[in-house]
Amino acid sequence: MTQDQRLTELVEAFKADSVRYKDLETPKDLGSRRRILRSLMNIRMPRKLDASVLEMQDTYLKERIRENGIVGLEDIPLTEGVISLWQGDITRLQVDAIVNAANSQMLGCFVPMHTCIDNCIHTFAGVQLRAECDRQMKQLKARFGPDYEQPTAVPMLTDGYNLPAKKVVHIVGPIVSGPLTPALEKDLADCYTNTLNLCKENGLRSVAFCCISTGVFHFPPQRAAEIAVRTVRSWLSEHPDAMDRVIFNVFSDKDRSIYEHIFR
């Protein structure tokens, strides 16, 4: 079966899985079919999926990622010690763990085709990722009550499924809705410290951080980068043999410029 055939069959399968969109007309062009599949995956609540559809999804996503180009540690130059700065799509990175900027519900982004990193990671990991997050959240709700939401700076570890990364660390960053305060800065620093601690505890020796909280959570990018670099440097000095690589992953030219200036 070709990749195009897989895409067509997956669109029809996910349409049939969705009561609301089962009669949606499927366009013929490649780009539109990809957008529909991603959108149907984005809005799908965590529940069981037919094993044959799941297998086809996995084959399709792995090939999509291969087409996008998998990036290993050997492809990323060192910037300082074991720290690297890399610009690009975090879903391409073949590392032990990538960091996802999650929301407190921890189920991923439900907005179709949203450009946030949460949406991208869940899309290319496959529907299994949302299902695992849901299982972990149900366990936490059983322990702490039905209104439980994941606290800021408390990481959750899941498998990476179809991603090149072995694991995903989901973490809720601080939300800035007014002046930037020392408490918010500490919360952001804790995101980096707690993630690195989790990696160390689980034998994960390479991790790629996204720019936590700088998107819709409105943490000022310059200050966020300063806190991120300072915190990682400090942690590495205290645990000099714990990590083989820590990557600051940026997507925009502006963020790359901010980090490059810090490392000068």
Side-chain angles (χ1 to χ4, degrees):
M1 182 181 292
T2 67
Q3 190 72 338
D4 190 69
Q5 289 170 330
R6 289 188 195 100
L7 174 59
T8 298
E9 292 205 16
L10 283 169
V11 168
E12 296 307 316
F14 274 84
K15 280 169 54 179
D17 181 66
S18 169
V19 174
R20 183 174 181 181
Y21 295 103
K22 62 184 177 63
D23 297 322
L24 183 70
E25 183 177 352
T26 303
K28 297 187 181 300
D29 67 286
L30 176 64
S32 295
R33 280 182 292 142
R34 283 180 173 177
R35 287 191 291 274
I36 286 178
L37 177 60
R38 177 169 176 170
S39 297
L40 290 170
M41 292 172 69
N42 293 158
I43 64 173
R44 186 179 186 274
M45 295 300 293
R47 60 181 181 274
K48 187 175 181 180
L49 183 65
D50 182 85
S52 62
V53 177
L54 198 61
E55 182 180 1
M56 189 182 302
Q57 175 217 242
D58 292 350
T59 303
Y60 173 78
L61 289 175
K62 284 184 171 69
E63 180 61 19
R64 280 294 312 278
I65 291 170
R66 189 195 67 79
E67 292 169 353
N68 291 339
I70 295 173
V71 179
L73 293 181
E74 68 277 6
D75 302 311
I76 304 174
L78 292 167
T79 302
E80 174 188 289
V82 298
I83 297 174
S84 292
L85 172 63
W86 184 76
Q87 182 178 15
D89 181 353
I90 201 169
T91 65
R92 297 171 59 200
L93 291 177
Q94 192 171 50
V95 291
D96 286 347
I98 59 173
V99 177
N100 177 29
N103 57 55
S104 59
Q105 284 72 43
M106 301 297 277
L107 295 182
C109 172
F110 283 88
V111 180
M113 291 296 299
H114 197 254
T115 57
C116 70
I117 194 168
D118 199 12
N119 189 297
C120 293
I121 287 174
H122 273 268
T123 295
F124 283 96
V127 297
Q128 301 98 311
L129 182 57
R130 179 168 285 166
E132 183 180 351
C133 290
D134 183 55
R135 287 192 298 271
Q136 291 201 36
M137 286 300 287
K138 283 178 177 175
Q139 291 171 357
L140 290 165
K141 288 181 179 182
R143 182 179 177 186
F144 297 112
D147 297 327
Y148 175 85
E149 294 185 0
Q150 191 77 351
T152 300
V154 176
M156 175 186 288
L157 185 65
T158 68
D159 284 339
Y161 296 99
N162 293 293
L163 296 166
K166 295 176 185 176
K167 300 287 184 180
V168 180
V169 179
H170 308 261
I171 197 156
V172 182
I175 300 173
V176 179
S177 56
L180 190 59
T181 65
L184 289 168
E185 292 189 341
K186 182 183 183 302
D187 282 344
L188 185 62
D190 287 346
C191 287
Y192 288 89
T193 298
N194 294 344
T195 294
L196 288 167
N197 287 339
L198 183 68
C199 287
K200 183 175 181 292
E201 291 164 5
N202 287 274
L204 305 173
R205 296 190 59 85
S206 57
V207 61
F209 283 102
C210 62
C211 299
I212 301 170
S213 282
T214 59
V216 295
F217 284 11
H218 303 299
F219 208 106
Q222 176 70 42
R223 186 62 185 137
E226 293 168 355
I227 292 169
V229 173
R230 181 195 69 203
T231 304
V232 169
R233 280 172 170 165
S234 176
W235 191 92
L236 289 172
S237 70
E238 295 174 8
H239 308 86
D241 300 317
M243 302 298 292
D244 295 327
R245 190 75 65 91
V246 177
I247 300 167
F248 290 110
N249 168 238
V250 297
F251 197 75
S252 70
D253 291 339
K254 179 179 179 181
D255 284 332
R256 182 184 181 92
S257 178
I258 289 172
Y259 275 87
E260 285 178 336
H261 181 76
I262 292 172
F263 282 114
R264 281 179 193 159

CSV table of all heavy atoms in Angstrom, one decimal, residues 68-126:
chain,number,residue,atom,x,y,z
A,68,ASN,N,9.9,13.8,6.5
A,68,ASN,CA,10.3,15.1,7.0
A,68,ASN,C,11.8,15.2,7.3
A,68,ASN,O,12.4,16.3,7.3
A,68,ASN,CB,9.5,15.4,8.2
A,68,ASN,CG,8.0,15.7,7.9
A,68,ASN,OD1,7.7,16.0,6.8
A,68,ASN,ND2,7.2,15.5,8.9
A,69,GLY,N,12.4,14.0,7.7
A,69,GLY,CA,13.8,14.0,8.0
A,69,GLY,C,14.1,13.8,9.5
A,69,GLY,O,13.8,14.8,10.2
A,70,ILE,N,14.6,12.7,9.9
A,70,ILE,CA,14.9,12.5,11.3
A,70,ILE,C,16.2,13.1,11.6
A,70,ILE,O,17.2,12.9,10.8
A,70,ILE,CB,14.8,10.9,11.6
A,70,ILE,CG1,13.4,10.4,11.4
A,70,ILE,CG2,15.4,10.7,13.0
A,70,ILE,CD1,13.3,8.9,11.6
A,71,VAL,N,16.3,13.8,12.7
A,71,VAL,CA,17.5,14.5,13.1
A,71,VAL,C,18.1,13.8,14.4
A,71,VAL,O,17.4,13.8,15.4
A,71,VAL,CB,17.3,16.0,13.3
A,71,VAL,CG1,18.6,16.7,13.8
A,71,VAL,CG2,16.7,16.6,12.1
A,72,GLY,N,19.3,13.2,14.3
A,72,GLY,CA,19.9,12.6,15.5
A,72,GLY,C,20.9,13.6,16.1
A,72,GLY,O,21.2,14.6,15.6
A,73,LEU,N,21.4,13.1,17.2
A,73,LEU,CA,22.4,14.0,18.0
A,73,LEU,C,23.6,14.3,17.1
A,73,LEU,O,24.2,15.3,17.3
A,73,LEU,CB,22.8,13.2,19.3
A,73,LEU,CG,21.7,13.1,20.3
A,73,LEU,CD1,22.3,12.4,21.6
A,73,LEU,CD2,21.2,14.4,20.7
A,74,GLU,N,24.0,13.3,16.3
A,74,GLU,CA,25.2,13.5,15.5
A,74,GLU,C,25.0,14.6,14.4
A,74,GLU,O,26.0,15.1,13.9
A,74,GLU,CB,25.6,12.2,14.8
A,74,GLU,CG,24.6,11.7,13.7
A,74,GLU,CD,23.4,11.0,14.2
A,74,GLU,OE1,23.3,10.9,15.5
A,74,GLU,OE2,22.6,10.5,13.4
A,75,ASP,N,23.8,15.0,14.2
A,75,ASP,CA,23.4,16.1,13.2
A,75,ASP,C,23.4,17.4,13.9
A,75,ASP,O,23.2,18.4,13.2
A,75,ASP,CB,22.1,15.8,12.6
A,75,ASP,CG,22.0,14.4,11.9
A,75,ASP,OD1,23.0,14.2,11.1
A,75,ASP,OD2,21.1,13.7,12.1
A,76,ILE,N,23.5,17.5,15.2
A,76,ILE,CA,23.4,18.8,15.9
A,76,ILE,C,24.7,19.1,16.6
A,76,ILE,O,25.1,18.4,17.5
A,76,ILE,CB,22.2,18.7,17.0
A,76,ILE,CG1,20.9,18.2,16.3
A,76,ILE,CG2,22.0,20.0,17.7
A,76,ILE,CD1,19.8,18.0,17.3
A,77,PRO,N,25.3,20.2,16.2
A,77,PRO,CA,26.6,20.6,16.8
A,77,PRO,C,26.4,21.1,18.3
A,77,PRO,O,25.3,21.5,18.7
A,77,PRO,CB,27.1,21.8,15.9
A,77,PRO,CG,25.8,22.3,15.3
A,77,PRO,CD,24.9,21.2,15.1
A,78,LEU,N,27.4,20.9,19.0
A,78,LEU,CA,27.4,21.4,20.4
A,78,LEU,C,27.6,22.9,20.4
A,78,LEU,O,28.4,23.5,19.6
A,78,LEU,CB,28.6,20.7,21.2
A,78,LEU,CG,28.4,19.2,21.4
A,78,LEU,CD1,29.7,18.6,21.9
A,78,LEU,CD2,27.3,19.0,22.5
A,79,THR,N,27.0,23.5,21.4
A,79,THR,CA,27.1,25.0,21.6
A,79,THR,C,27.9,25.3,22.8
A,79,THR,O,28.8,26.2,22.7
A,79,THR,CB,25.7,25.6,21.8
A,79,THR,OG1,24.8,25.3,20.6
A,79,THR,CG2,25.7,27.1,21.9
A,80,GLU,N,27.7,24.6,23.8
A,80,GLU,CA,28.5,24.8,25.1
A,80,GLU,C,28.4,23.5,25.9
A,80,GLU,O,27.3,23.1,26.3
A,80,GLU,CB,27.9,26.0,25.8
A,80,GLU,CG,28.4,26.3,27.2
A,80,GLU,CD,27.7,27.3,27.9
A,80,GLU,OE1,27.7,28.5,27.6
A,80,GLU,OE2,27.0,27.0,28.9
A,81,GLY,N,29.6,22.9,26.2
A,81,GLY,CA,29.6,21.7,26.9
A,81,GLY,C,28.7,20.6,26.3
A,81,GLY,O,28.9,20.3,25.1
A,82,VAL,N,27.7,20.1,27.0
A,82,VAL,CA,26.8,19.1,26.3
A,82,VAL,C,25.5,19.8,25.9
A,82,VAL,O,24.5,19.2,25.5
A,82,VAL,CB,26.4,18.0,27.3
A,82,VAL,CG1,27.6,17.2,27.7
A,82,VAL,CG2,25.7,18.6,28.6
A,83,ILE,N,25.5,21.2,25.9
A,83,ILE,CA,24.3,21.9,25.4
A,83,ILE,C,24.4,22.2,23.9
A,83,ILE,O,25.4,22.6,23.4
A,83,ILE,CB,24.2,23.2,26.2
A,83,ILE,CG1,24.0,23.0,27.7
A,83,ILE,CG2,23.0,24.1,25.7
A,83,ILE,CD1,24.0,24.2,28.6
A,84,SER,N,23.2,22.1,23.3
A,84,SER,CA,23.1,22.4,21.9
A,84,SER,C,21.9,23.4,21.7
A,84,SER,O,20.9,23.3,22.4
A,84,SER,CB,22.9,21.2,21.0
A,84,SER,OG,24.0,20.4,20.9
A,85,LEU,N,22.0,24.2,20.7
A,85,LEU,CA,20.9,25.0,20.2
A,85,LEU,C,20.5,24.6,18.8
A,85,LEU,O,21.4,24.4,17.9
A,85,LEU,CB,21.3,26.5,20.2
A,85,LEU,CG,20.3,27.5,19.5
A,85,LEU,CD1,19.0,27.5,20.3
A,85,LEU,CD2,20.9,28.9,19.4
A,86,TRP,N,19.2,24.2,18.6
A,86,TRP,CA,18.8,23.7,17.3
A,86,TRP,C,17.5,24.3,16.9
A,86,TRP,O,16.5,24.4,17.7
A,86,TRP,CB,18.7,22.2,17.3
A,86,TRP,CG,18.4,21.6,16.0
A,86,TRP,CD1,19.2,21.4,15.0
A,86,TRP,CD2,17.1,21.1,15.6
A,86,TRP,NE1,18.5,20.8,13.9
A,86,TRP,CE2,17.2,20.6,14.3
A,86,TRP,CE3,15.8,21.0,16.2
A,86,TRP,CZ2,16.1,20.1,13.5
A,86,TRP,CZ3,14.8,20.5,15.5
A,86,TRP,CH2,14.9,20.0,14.2
A,87,GLN,N,17.4,24.8,15.7
A,87,GLN,CA,16.2,25.4,15.2
A,87,GLN,C,15.5,24.4,14.2
A,87,GLN,O,16.1,23.9,13.3
A,87,GLN,CB,16.5,26.7,14.4
A,87,GLN,CG,15.2,27.4,13.9
A,87,GLN,CD,15.6,28.7,13.2
A,87,GLN,OE1,16.7,28.9,12.9
A,87,GLN,NE2,14.6,29.5,13.0
A,88,GLY,N,14.2,24.1,14.5
A,88,GLY,CA,13.5,23.2,13.6
A,88,GLY,C,12.3,22.6,14.4
A,88,GLY,O,11.9,22.9,15.5
A,89,ASP,N,11.7,21.6,13.7
A,89,ASP,CA,10.5,20.9,14.2
A,89,ASP,C,10.9,19.8,15.2
A,89,ASP,O,11.6,18.9,14.9
A,89,ASP,CB,9.8,20.2,13.0
A,89,ASP,CG,8.6,19.5,13.3
A,89,ASP,OD1,8.3,19.3,14.5
A,89,ASP,OD2,7.9,19.0,12.4
A,90,ILE,N,10.5,19.9,16.4
A,90,ILE,CA,10.9,19.1,17.5
A,90,ILE,C,10.4,17.6,17.3
A,90,ILE,O,11.0,16.7,17.8
A,90,ILE,CB,10.3,19.6,18.9
A,90,ILE,CG1,11.1,19.0,20.0
A,90,ILE,CG2,8.9,19.3,19.0
A,90,ILE,CD1,10.8,19.7,21.4
A,91,THR,N,9.4,17.4,16.4
A,91,THR,CA,8.9,16.0,16.2
A,91,THR,C,9.9,15.3,15.3
A,91,THR,O,9.7,14.1,15.1
A,91,THR,CB,7.6,16.0,15.5
A,91,THR,OG1,7.6,16.6,14.2
A,91,THR,CG2,6.5,16.8,16.4
A,92,ARG,N,11.0,15.9,14.8
A,92,ARG,CA,12.0,15.2,14.0
A,92,ARG,C,13.1,14.7,14.8
A,92,ARG,O,14.0,13.9,14.3
A,92,ARG,CB,12.5,16.2,12.9
A,92,ARG,CG,11.5,16.7,11.9
A,92,ARG,CD,12.1,17.8,11.0
A,92,ARG,NE,13.2,17.3,10.3
A,92,ARG,CZ,14.2,18.1,9.8
A,92,ARG,NH1,14.1,19.4,10.0
A,92,ARG,NH2,15.2,17.5,9.2
A,93,LEU,N,13.2,15.1,16.1
A,93,LEU,CA,14.4,14.8,16.9
A,93,LEU,C,14.4,13.3,17.4
A,93,LEU,O,13.5,12.9,18.1
A,93,LEU,CB,14.5,15.8,18.0
A,93,LEU,CG,14.8,17.2,17.6
A,93,LEU,CD1,14.9,18.1,18.8
A,93,LEU,CD2,16.2,17.3,16.9
A,94,GLN,N,15.5,12.7,17.1
A,94,GLN,CA,15.7,11.3,17.6
A,94,GLN,C,16.6,11.4,18.9
A,94,GLN,O,17.8,11.3,18.9
A,94,GLN,CB,16.4,10.4,16.6
A,94,GLN,CG,16.4,9.0,16.9
A,94,GLN,CD,16.9,8.1,15.7
A,94,GLN,OE1,17.9,8.4,15.1
A,94,GLN,NE2,16.1,7.1,15.3
A,95,VAL,N,15.9,11.6,20.0
A,95,VAL,CA,16.5,11.8,21.3
A,95,VAL,C,15.8,10.9,22.3
A,95,VAL,O,14.8,10.3,22.0
A,95,VAL,CB,16.5,13.3,21.8
A,95,VAL,CG1,17.4,14.1,20.9
A,95,VAL,CG2,15.1,13.8,21.7
A,96,ASP,N,16.3,10.9,23.5
A,96,ASP,CA,15.6,10.1,24.6
A,96,ASP,C,14.3,10.7,24.9
A,96,ASP,O,13.3,10.0,25.2
A,96,ASP,CB,16.5,9.9,25.8
A,96,ASP,CG,17.7,9.0,25.6
A,96,ASP,OD1,17.6,8.2,24.6
A,96,ASP,OD2,18.6,8.9,26.4
A,97,ALA,N,14.2,12.0,25.0
A,97,ALA,CA,13.0,12.7,25.4
A,97,ALA,C,12.9,14.1,24.7
A,97,ALA,O,13.9,14.8,24.6
A,97,ALA,CB,12.9,12.8,26.9
A,98,ILE,N,11.7,14.4,24.4
A,98,ILE,CA,11.4,15.8,24.0
A,98,ILE,C,10.4,16.4,25.0
A,98,ILE,O,9.6,15.6,25.6
A,98,ILE,CB,10.8,15.9,22.5
A,98,ILE,CG1,9.5,15.1,22.4
A,98,ILE,CG2,11.9,15.5,21.5
A,98,ILE,CD1,8.8,15.3,21.1
A,99,VAL,N,10.4,17.7,25.2
A,99,VAL,CA,9.5,18.3,26.1
A,99,VAL,C,8.4,19.0,25.4
A,99,VAL,O,8.5,19.8,24.5
A,99,VAL,CB,10.3,19.4,27.0
A,99,VAL,CG1,9.4,20.1,28.0
A,99,VAL,CG2,11.5,18.7,27.7
A,100,ASN,N,7.2,18.7,25.9
A,100,ASN,CA,5.9,19.3,25.4
A,100,ASN,C,5.4,20.3,26.4
A,100,ASN,O,5.2,20.0,27.5
A,100,ASN,CB,4.9,18.1,25.2
A,100,ASN,CG,3.6,18.7,24.7
A,100,ASN,OD1,3.5,19.7,24.0
A,100,ASN,ND2,2.5,18.0,25.0
A,101,ALA,N,5.1,21.5,25.8
A,101,ALA,CA,4.5,22.5,26.6
A,101,ALA,C,3.0,22.2,26.7
A,101,ALA,O,2.2,22.6,25.8
A,101,ALA,CB,4.7,23.9,26.0
A,102,ALA,N,2.5,21.6,27.7
A,102,ALA,CA,1.2,21.1,27.9
A,102,ALA,C,0.3,22.1,28.6
A,102,ALA,O,0.7,23.1,29.2
A,102,ALA,CB,1.2,19.8,28.6
A,103,ASN,N,-1.0,21.8,28.6
A,103,ASN,CA,-2.0,22.6,29.4
A,103,ASN,C,-2.3,21.7,30.6
A,103,ASN,O,-2.0,20.5,30.7
A,103,ASN,CB,-3.2,23.0,28.6
A,103,ASN,CG,-3.9,21.8,28.0
A,103,ASN,OD1,-4.3,20.9,28.7
A,103,ASN,ND2,-4.1,21.9,26.7
A,104,SER,N,-3.0,22.2,31.6
A,104,SER,CA,-3.3,21.5,32.8
A,104,SER,C,-4.2,20.3,32.7
A,104,SER,O,-4.2,19.5,33.6
A,104,SER,CB,-3.8,22.5,33.9
A,104,SER,OG,-5.0,23.1,33.4
A,105,GLN,N,-4.9,20.2,31.6
A,105,GLN,CA,-5.8,19.0,31.4
A,105,GLN,C,-4.9,17.9,30.9
A,105,GLN,O,-5.3,16.7,30.9
A,105,GLN,CB,-6.9,19.3,30.4
A,105,GLN,CG,-8.0,20.1,31.0
A,105,GLN,CD,-7.7,21.6,31.2
A,105,GLN,OE1,-7.0,22.2,30.4
A,105,GLN,NE2,-8.0,22.1,32.4
A,106,MET,N,-3.8,18.1,30.3
A,106,MET,CA,-2.8,17.2,29.9
A,106,MET,C,-3.2,16.2,28.8
A,106,MET,O,-2.7,15.1,28.6
A,106,MET,CB,-2.3,16.3,31.1
A,106,MET,CG,-1.6,17.2,32.2
A,106,MET,SD,-0.2,18.0,31.7
A,106,MET,CE,1.1,16.8,31.8
A,107,LEU,N,-4.2,16.6,28.0
A,107,LEU,CA,-4.7,15.7,26.9
A,107,LEU,C,-4.4,16.2,25.5
A,107,LEU,O,-4.8,15.6,24.5
A,107,LEU,CB,-6.2,15.6,27.0
A,107,LEU,CG,-6.8,14.9,28.3
A,107,LEU,CD1,-8.3,14.8,28.3
A,107,LEU,CD2,-6.2,13.5,28.5
A,108,GLY,N,-3.5,17.2,25.4
A,108,GLY,CA,-3.2,17.7,24.1
A,108,GLY,C,-4.1,18.8,23.7
A,108,GLY,O,-5.1,19.2,24.3
A,109,CYS,N,-3.8,19.4,22.5
A,109,CYS,CA,-4.6,20.5,21.9
A,109,CYS,C,-5.7,19.9,21.1
A,109,CYS,O,-5.4,19.1,20.2
A,109,CYS,CB,-3.6,21.4,21.1
A,109,CYS,SG,-4.5,22.7,20.2
A,110,PHE,N,-6.9,20.3,21.3
A,110,PHE,CA,-8.1,19.9,20.6
A,110,PHE,C,-8.5,20.8,19.4
A,110,PHE,O,-9.5,20.6,18.8
A,110,PHE,CB,-9.3,19.7,21.5
A,110,PHE,CG,-9.2,18.5,22.4
A,110,PHE,CD1,-8.5,18.5,23.6
A,110,PHE,CD2,-9.8,17.3,22.0
A,110,PHE,CE1,-8.5,17.4,24.4
A,110,PHE,CE2,-9.7,16.1,22.8
A,110,PHE,CZ,-9.1,16.2,24.0
A,111,VAL,N,-7.7,21.9,19.2
A,111,VAL,CA,-8.0,22.8,18.2
A,111,VAL,C,-7.5,22.3,16.8
A,111,VAL,O,-6.3,22.1,16.7
A,111,VAL,CB,-7.4,24.2,18.5
A,111,VAL,CG1,-7.8,25.2,17.3
A,111,VAL,CG2,-7.9,24.7,19.8
A,112,PRO,N,-8.3,22.0,15.9
A,112,PRO,CA,-7.9,21.4,14.6
A,112,PRO,C,-6.8,22.3,13.9
A,112,PRO,O,-6.9,23.5,13.8
A,112,PRO,CB,-9.1,21.4,13.7
A,112,PRO,CG,-10.3,21.4,14.7
A,112,PRO,CD,-9.8,22.2,15.9
A,113,MET,N,-5.7,21.6,13.6
A,113,MET,CA,-4.6,22.2,12.9
A,113,MET,C,-3.9,23.4,13.6
A,113,MET,O,-3.2,24.2,13.0
A,113,MET,CB,-5.0,22.7,11.5
A,113,MET,CG,-5.4,21.6,10.5
A,113,MET,SD,-4.0,20.6,10.0
A,113,MET,CE,-2.9,21.8,9.3
A,114,HIS,N,-4.1,23.5,14.9
A,114,HIS,CA,-3.4,24.5,15.7
A,114,HIS,C,-1.9,24.3,15.6
A,114,HIS,O,-1.4,23.2,15.5
A,114,HIS,CB,-3.8,24.5,17.1
A,114,HIS,CG,-3.5,25.8,17.9
A,114,HIS,ND1,-2.5,25.9,18.8
A,114,HIS,CD2,-4.1,27.0,17.8
A,114,HIS,CE1,-2.5,27.1,19.3
A,114,HIS,NE2,-3.4,27.8,18.7
A,115,THR,N,-1.2,25.4,15.5
A,115,THR,CA,0.3,25.4,15.3
A,115,THR,C,1.1,25.2,16.6
A,115,THR,O,2.3,25.2,16.6
A,115,THR,CB,0.8,26.6,14.6
A,115,THR,OG1,0.4,27.8,15.3
A,115,THR,CG2,0.1,26.7,13.2
A,116,CYS,N,0.4,25.1,17.7
A,116,CYS,CA,1.2,25.0,19.0
A,116,CYS,C,1.9,23.6,19.0
A,116,CYS,O,1.6,22.7,18.4
A,116,CYS,CB,0.2,25.1,20.2
A,116,CYS,SG,-0.9,23.7,20.4
A,117,ILE,N,3.0,23.6,19.9
A,117,ILE,CA,3.8,22.4,19.9
A,117,ILE,C,3.0,21.2,20.5
A,117,ILE,O,3.3,20.1,20.1
A,117,ILE,CB,5.1,22.7,20.8
A,117,ILE,CG1,6.1,21.6,20.6
A,117,ILE,CG2,4.7,22.9,22.2
A,117,ILE,CD1,7.5,21.9,21.1
A,118,ASP,N,2.1,21.5,21.4
A,118,ASP,CA,1.2,20.4,21.9
A,118,ASP,C,0.5,19.7,20.8
A,118,ASP,O,0.4,18.4,20.8
A,118,ASP,CB,0.3,21.0,22.9
A,118,ASP,CG,-0.3,20.0,23.9
A,118,ASP,OD1,0.2,18.9,24.0
A,118,ASP,OD2,-1.3,20.4,24.6
A,119,ASN,N,-0.1,20.4,19.9
A,119,ASN,CA,-0.8,19.9,18.8
A,119,ASN,C,0.1,19.1,17.9
A,119,ASN,O,-0.2,17.9,17.5
A,119,ASN,CB,-1.5,21.0,18.0
A,119,ASN,CG,-2.4,20.5,16.9
A,119,ASN,OD1,-2.0,19.8,16.0
A,119,ASN,ND2,-3.7,20.8,17.1
A,120,CYS,N,1.3,19.6,17.6
A,120,CYS,CA,2.2,19.0,16.7
A,120,CYS,C,2.7,17.6,17.2
A,120,CYS,O,2.7,16.6,16.5
A,120,CYS,CB,3.4,19.9,16.4
A,120,CYS,SG,3.0,21.4,15.5
A,121,ILE,N,3.1,17.6,18.5
A,121,ILE,CA,3.6,16.4,19.1
A,121,ILE,C,2.5,15.3,19.2
A,121,ILE,O,2.8,14.2,18.8
A,121,ILE,CB,4.1,16.7,20.5
A,121,ILE,CG1,5.4,17.5,20.4
A,121,ILE,CG2,4.3,15.5,21.3
A,121,ILE,CD1,6.0,18.0,21.7
A,122,HIS,N,1.3,15.7,19.6
A,122,HIS,CA,0.2,14.7,19.6
A,122,HIS,C,-0.1,14.2,18.2
A,122,HIS,O,-0.4,13.0,18.1
A,122,HIS,CB,-1.0,15.3,20.3
A,122,HIS,CG,-1.0,15.2,21.8
A,122,HIS,ND1,-1.6,14.1,22.4
A,122,HIS,CD2,-0.5,16.0,22.7
A,122,HIS,CE1,-1.4,14.2,23.7
A,122,HIS,NE2,-0.7,15.4,24.0
A,123,THR,N,-0.1,15.1,17.2
A,123,THR,CA,-0.4,14.6,15.9
A,123,THR,C,0.6,13.6,15.4
A,123,THR,O,0.1,12.5,14.9
A,123,THR,CB,-0.4,15.8,14.9
A,123,THR,OG1,-1.4,16.8,15.3
A,123,THR,CG2,-0.6,15.4,13.5
A,124,PHE,N,1.9,13.8,15.5
A,124,PHE,CA,2.8,12.9,14.9
A,124,PHE,C,3.2,11.7,15.9
A,124,PHE,O,3.7,10.7,15.4
A,124,PHE,CB,4.1,13.7,14.5
A,124,PHE,CG,3.9,14.4,13.3
A,124,PHE,CD1,3.5,15.8,13.3
A,124,PHE,CD2,4.0,13.8,12.0
A,124,PHE,CE1,3.3,16.5,12.1
A,124,PHE,CE2,3.8,14.5,10.9
A,124,PHE,CZ,3.5,15.8,10.9
A,125,ALA,N,2.8,11.8,17.1
A,125,ALA,CA,2.9,10.6,18.0
A,125,ALA,C,1.8,9.6,17.7
A,125,ALA,O,2.0,8.4,17.8
A,125,ALA,CB,2.9,11.0,19.5
A,126,GLY,N,0.6,10.1,17.3
A,126,GLY,CA,-0.5,9.3,17.1
A,126,GLY,C,-1.5,9.3,18.3
A,126,GLY,O,-1.2,9.9,19.3
